[in-house]
């Protein structure tokens, strides 16, 4: 009756009752959403949200897409950097740039490529989709850097390790000094992912 239904209440009128409730809920929500949109339009924000959907995804209550793009990953990175300005810091910054470049490259890649942005997400976190809105703000990928593997004698290659339980990735700095080697090491690690996991 709160929804404006005034007819008989019995099983025979079930459809009519449900329709009245549905309509009531819809019109109320539509009005609220319309008002929200008008509010956003004051600063042209709804156009910005439409143009930059991935940036707005954590803000938008209307989010339905759970597809992971490069921005979703990079915007949730929480790198543990060395002291600003030192040599290690410089190398770490470069690796983060390489990582970003690689994600962009994967995003533009053709469908035949095995490694995709969602597969990177899957490899690091154990799942290939976005978090639900409630978890979105708390989600972060901890990025660590291993500067010490060169102390291990007689080895030519190390791969990044991931811990899906804690959403952590650790890059072996010594083996990814330029983009080519970074990409090579990363794609190999992702391809044979399970073998390099450290739970
Ligand atoms: Zn190494």
């Amino acid at each position: 009756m709160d929804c404006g239904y005034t007819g008989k209440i019995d099983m025979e009128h079930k459809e009519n009752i449900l329709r009245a409730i549905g309509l009531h809920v819809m019109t109320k929500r539509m009005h609220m959403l319309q008002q929200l949109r008008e509010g956003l339009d004051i600063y042209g924000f709804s156009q910005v949200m439409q143009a930059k959907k991935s940036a707005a995804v954590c803000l938008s209550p209307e989010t339905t897409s759970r597809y992971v793009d490069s921005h979703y990953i990079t915007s949730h990175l929480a790198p543990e950097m060395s002291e600003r300005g030192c040599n290690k810091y410089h190398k770490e910054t470069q690796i983060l740039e390489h990582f970003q470049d690689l994600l962009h490259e994967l995003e533009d890649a053709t469908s035949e490529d095995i490694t995709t942005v969602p597969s990177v997400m899957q490899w690091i976190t154990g799942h290939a989709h976005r978090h639900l809105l409630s978890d979105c703000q708390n989600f972060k990928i901890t990025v660590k850097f291993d500067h010490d593997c060169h102390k291990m004698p007689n080895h030519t290659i190390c791969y990044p390790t991931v811990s899906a339980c804690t959403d952590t990735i650790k890059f072996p700095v010594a083996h990814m000094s330029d983009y080519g080697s970074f990409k090579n090491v990363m794609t190999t690690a992702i391809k044979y992912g399970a073998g390099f996991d450290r739970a």
Side-chain angles (χ1 to χ4, degrees):
M1 282 175 347
D2 282 345
C3 301
Y5 179 75
T6 51
K8 229 175 161 185
I9 298 177
D10 58 23
M11 285 312 282
E12 265 182 68
H13 292 82
K14 190 179 157 187
E15 287 304 318
N16 288 343
I17 296 167
L18 287 176
R19 200 176 305 126
I21 295 171
L23 200 66
H24 178 77
V25 171
M26 267 296 270
T27 34
K28 213 172 156 185
R29 294 288 185 285
M30 286 305 283
H31 184 64
M32 280 160 58
L33 288 172
Q34 191 58 40
Q35 279 193 327
L36 178 66
R37 175 166 221 131
E38 278 168 26
L40 292 173
D41 274 340
I42 293 173
Y43 295 105
F45 194 58
S46 66
Q47 285 95 318
V48 175
M49 281 172 79
Q50 264 183 338
K52 298 197 178 283
K53 285 199 176 104
S54 62
V57 77
C58 278
L59 304 169
S60 169
E62 293 169 87
T63 298
T64 51
S65 167
R66 301 193 65 196
Y67 181 78
V68 171
D69 57 11
S70 63
H71 177 81
Y72 188 75
I73 296 182
T74 52
S75 65
H76 287 95
L77 292 181
E80 294 179 356
M81 309 288 286
S82 299
E83 200 182 325
R84 206 181 181 88
C86 71
N87 191 33
K88 283 183 181 177
Y89 178 87
H90 177 66
K91 285 179 182 170
E92 290 160 2
T93 314
Q94 269 189 332
I95 285 179
L96 289 177
E97 278 169 19
H98 292 334
F99 191 31
Q100 195 158 358
D101 289 346
L102 178 67
L103 289 170
H104 284 153
E105 196 182 316
L106 295 177
E107 205 150 54
D108 299 335
T110 58
S111 56
E112 290 119 60
D113 290 299
I114 307 162
T115 311
T116 60
V117 175
S119 72
V120 176
M121 178 79 172
Q122 170 84 43
W123 175 60
I124 300 173
T125 68
H127 57 82
H129 52 77
R130 286 170 183 275
H131 291 71
L132 296 172
L133 189 61
S134 52
D135 299 326
C136 191
Q137 283 167 328
N138 296 325
F139 167 59
K140 65 180 171 101
I141 298 170
T142 306
V143 181
K144 297 182 178 198
F145 301 93
D146 180 5
H147 291 278
D148 295 326
C149 82
H150 62 85
K151 290 175 186 165
M152 262 193 317
N154 303 324
H155 81 290
T156 49
I157 187 72
C158 286
Y159 291 100
T161 51
V162 292
S163 169
C165 298
T166 53
D167 294 335
T168 301
I169 181 167
K170 192 175 190 180
F171 292 112
V173 177
H175 303 279
M176 7 180 76
S177 52
D178 57 70
Y179 182 66
S181 55
F182 178 86
K183 187 184 168 185
N184 192 19
V185 166
M186 283 293 284
T187 46
T188 309
I190 295 163
K191 198 169 162 190
Y192 302 104
F196 301 105
D197 278 7
R198 246 187 234 163

